[in-house]
Amino acid sequence: MILMKDIIREGNPTLRETAQKVTFPLTQDERQLGKDMMKYLEISQDEDLAAKYHLRAGVGLAAPQVDVSKRIAAVLAPANDGKILFKDILYNPRILRESVKHAALNEGEGCLSVNRNVPGFVVRVDRITLEYFDITGQRHEIKLKDYPAIVVQHELDHLNGVLFYDHISKESPFKLPENTIVIE
Ligand code: NI
């Protein structure tokens, strides 16, 4: 089981590396890591279990955050009503197409690897076409928009050594470019 002590924090060089692609068939370790990362997200979103295991709630976790520099990420993006907008373990994910329209979360973003609040809009694209391979090696090509698209972009950034605050303007953190929607 992944606990907070297993998650590395900003300053650790692994978070700034470009992670390596996996090859198929996946190794047992690569499949287990994906499952463990998803289990972290599930438990962390359950109030009682999160309190029991002292987990910070997360909607995404990337392998570099547990010090494994491979292109693996888990995403569990819930809607406000508790429905699940997108849930899967992504192997070798990549964005095939992105919208011209941009989007930013009204609350800004946070990260399990960053123990501080960094205020400001993280401007991303609103819609993506995502390619990824699942735990069985099956290829998927899906369209995502708004919140789950933003979560996926945050996790893909981790695979490229990018942290969310790299996207926040230093001079004007709350200035939104034209053609950007704010997501509540
Ligand atoms: Ni993060």
Side-chain angles (χ1 to χ4, degrees), residues 65 110-112 154-155 158:
Q65 294 182 271
C111 181
L112 295 169
H154 178 119
E155 297 317 315
H158 278 302

Side-chain angles (χ1 to χ4, degrees), residues 45-56:
Q45 290 182 28
D46 178 305
E47 215 173 295
D48 295 334
L49 288 174
K52 180 178 173 190
Y53 293 108
H54 308 287
L55 304 187
R56 244 181 91 192

